[in-house]
Amino acid sequence: MSSKLLGALAAASLICCRCARGIPFPGTIFERESDLSPMYGYVVVGGGVSGLVVANRLSEDPKTTVLVIEAGRMKSNTHAGHLSPASTTAIPGLNNRTAGVAAARLLGGGSAINGMAFDRGSPGDYDLWGEINGDDSWSWAGLPYFKKSETFTPPTVEQQVEYGITFYMDVHGTSGPIQSSYPPFIPTTGKAFIAALRRLRIPVQVDGTANAIGGFWNPNSLDPVLRERSCARTTYHELASNRANYHILTESLVTRLSHDLSGVEYIPGYNPDQTVVAPNATTRQVQARREIIMAASALHTPKILQLSGIGSSSVLDRLGINQIINLPGVGENFQDHPAQYLAVVVTNISDPTQHPAYLDQNKTYDAEMGVLYEETRTGPWTVSTDNTFAFLTADHHNVSYGSFVEAAQQPAAKYLRPGIDSTIINGFEEIKMASLSLQKPLSRGSVRAASTDPYRMPLVDYRTFSNPLDLQIMVQSVRFNTDILPQTDAFKEIGAFVQTPETGLSDIQLGGVIRASADPSFSHPSGTCAMLKLEDGGCVDKRLRLYGSYGRVRVVDASIFPVIQSSHLQSTVYAVAEKAADLIRRRF
């Protein structure tokens, strides 16, 4: 569970894109699907983080060809234009509320619009992956791909002295495509947060990249020279764009895979403002000589597979779709990090510009800082997500050991969706027994195609707090922010206090507040095509090959996470995709 002082500020992103029309040339981005080749070595479904990483690496081989099909645009003029307008089913654990679902819809995916946090989970997060799959190459020690994707620039000497930022250079990458660094402007509230953790005797790591348990300073996916967002589009895509064997088709909606899994069907000229397929829409198909690579996210990868006849009979029968591969796990095991947002007031800062909310409160200052950023690439516009995090254990939250013992003894199916396949129950039991000490959310949701119309967004069922232990942990996490942190000298010195939720609430009262106001998602959807054994409800094997596809289909996005890690997802998706590329190229 992440505890942070204040909300993040969005950093500006200036991205230039080249477009091609008519004939292919190195770095080809097609606006007309008629310009495509009829067959490629690999067809990548989705141009987000994982899709662009894999496409870049595969296109390093001049003997093959790669096509990326992305439903979104190259860029959009509004933030809303980046998002898929999906919503959830009613969530009983949140008083039957529904919620919007944020899913990136542009080239670069979430990396082009997220908060730019570039943290990793703890070693135990990935050791768990290796343990439940019986493969140490997926453990922390066997996953060197974090470093392969990163070029880390340390904080300045002045920042190290002023804020106490420390790091281990040997756990960071020094030659990867993604730039990670600290912004030149760091609010002093972050320093107060770290000081408060120390005074509570919560460990503060030298570098959270090496061990993300306790508090730590953390970089952003920020270019240290340009002071712009470093994302999959500005790095992996740009690196590949000079290769004649790398093709991109945007604004084209993949509808399904062909029955023999040899090709991908799609609708060119996709208009995201439409909610149903237009009567004159034309479906096209492109062939994949070697593999189809699914990289459409944990929300859309299972939907496309289900529309292709891959999934459980209960889901496919409801849609009237003939089943070609029986995989009950498709769309199941859905996980995210629920979030409770707090209103924090800081009353004793001598320089009000150090308050992270000051830009929003003072429009004149905001405009001035915007000009400063454009001219010098300095100032608060360089800030995105806070650079301080804390991922705390059960001991820090006073959650009793007995609660975990009780959860371990629960029948595996007790809080899962009724009627779920027995293999998924088996898999959940394996994960539950292995991960309780890591405090992973035990609630599991699902993602299902809403209809055979590919324009319909999927049905997203978070099932947040369906397991009561998750709510118990959330209550104590929020209490840490409302009742404990504000009592530290560090917080008192800056006059920080939480307005909402109010302090002093009982567990029952605070639980009621959370049910009434928490968000089911921190925009970290994962797990819906899990890398698990087939008998445990898995969808892909340890080489990320879709079961039953005879090696024709591979999944490389966050849907393969068997268990969500305790961190933001971005750097882990980069690392998984880098490993996937080596798996596909049979480098190990």
Side-chain angles (χ1 to χ4, degrees), residues 79-108:
H79 187 271
H82 297 319
L83 303 177
S84 298
S87 62
T88 68
T89 58
I91 306 170
L94 297 180
N95 294 347
N96 287 318
R97 290 184 289 123
T98 61
V101 179
R105 191 174 55 201
L106 78 165
L107 198 67

Side-chain angles (χ1 to χ4, degrees), residues 151-462:
T151 292
F152 173 65
T153 299
T156 65
V157 173
E158 292 77 12
Q159 288 175 328
Q160 295 176 47
V161 173
E162 171 66 20
Y163 300 103
I165 304 175
T166 55
F167 58 92
Y168 289 130
M169 198 66 204
D170 61 351
V171 299
H172 290 279
T174 57
S175 59
I178 297 298
Q179 299 287 334
S180 71
S181 67
Y182 286 86
F185 183 95
I186 298 178
T188 57
T189 49
K191 184 178 178 179
F193 178 65
I194 293 296
L197 295 177
R198 292 186 188 279
R199 294 180 189 187
L200 290 170
R201 297 186 177 182
I202 291 173
V204 174
Q205 304 294 338
V206 173
D207 194 329
T209 299
N211 186 18
I213 296 179
F216 53 92
W217 287 92
N218 192 77
N220 302 124
S221 48
L222 177 72
D223 188 303
V225 177
L226 300 176
R227 302 276 167 71
E228 296 174 1
R229 176 188 296 272
S230 181
C231 70
R233 179 167 62 173
T234 60
T235 56
Y236 285 92
H237 165 68
E238 287 296 324
L239 288 169
S241 65
N242 290 321
R243 303 178 189 137
N245 62 337
Y246 171 83
H247 292 175
I248 294 278
L249 180 65
T250 58
E251 298 182 61
S252 296
L253 182 70
V254 170
T255 59
R256 61 187 302 276
L257 312 185
S258 63
H259 287 299
D260 61 0
L261 304 181
S262 67
V264 172
E265 295 181 5
Y266 65 93
I267 298 175
Y270 171 56
N271 181 354
D273 295 328
Q274 295 179 334
T275 57
V276 295
V277 174
N280 60 346
T282 303
T283 300
R284 306 290 189 187
Q285 186 173 122
V286 62
Q287 298 296 114
R289 181 182 296 109
R290 294 182 178 178
E291 292 185 24
I292 297 168
I293 298 167
M294 298 300 301
S297 82
L299 298 175
H300 292 285
T301 286
K303 169 196 163 184
I304 295 170
L305 292 177
Q306 290 164 352
L307 293 181
S308 305
I310 302 170
S312 69
S313 57
S314 61
V315 171
L316 301 181
D317 288 348
R318 176 180 55 82
L319 297 170
I321 296 175
N322 292 328
Q323 187 180 67
I324 64 171
I325 300 178
N326 179 23
L327 269 185
V330 172
E332 301 293 345
N333 193 48
F334 180 40
Q335 299 161 67
D336 203 323
H337 292 130
Q340 177 68 45
Y341 295 97
L342 287 69
V344 181
V345 176
V346 180
T347 63
N348 193 31
I349 295 182
S350 58
D351 180 1
T353 66
Q354 291 294 307
H355 195 303
Y358 192 69
L359 282 176
D360 292 331
Q361 296 169 352
N362 190 320
K363 298 303 180 185
T364 300
Y365 176 74
D366 183 29
E368 292 172 351
M369 293 302 99
V371 172
L372 179 67
Y373 172 78
E374 296 295 346
E375 293 179 348
T376 68
R377 288 300 194 262
T378 59
W381 270 40
T382 62
V383 179
S384 52
T385 297
D386 289 349
N387 294 108
T388 53
F389 296 110
F391 293 95
L392 307 182
T393 67
D395 288 341
H396 299 136
H397 285 320
N398 294 317
V399 178
S400 69
Y401 176 74
S403 298
F404 292 97
V405 173
E406 180 183 350
Q409 295 173 344
Q410 295 169 356
K414 183 174 181 179
Y415 297 112
L416 296 178
R417 179 172 60 81
I420 204 166
D421 188 87
S422 60
T423 60
I424 299 166
I425 297 174
N426 293 340
F428 179 74
E429 180 67 24
E430 292 282 340
I431 292 170
K432 176 166 68 74
M433 295 303 296
S435 67
L436 278 175
S437 63
L438 298 175
Q439 299 179 53
K440 304 298 183 185
L442 293 178
S443 301
R444 292 293 186 273
S446 65
V447 174
R448 290 165 287 165
S451 77
T452 56
D453 187 335
Y455 272 49
R456 287 280 304 277
M457 292 296 116
L459 294 173
V460 179
D461 184 4
Y462 281 102

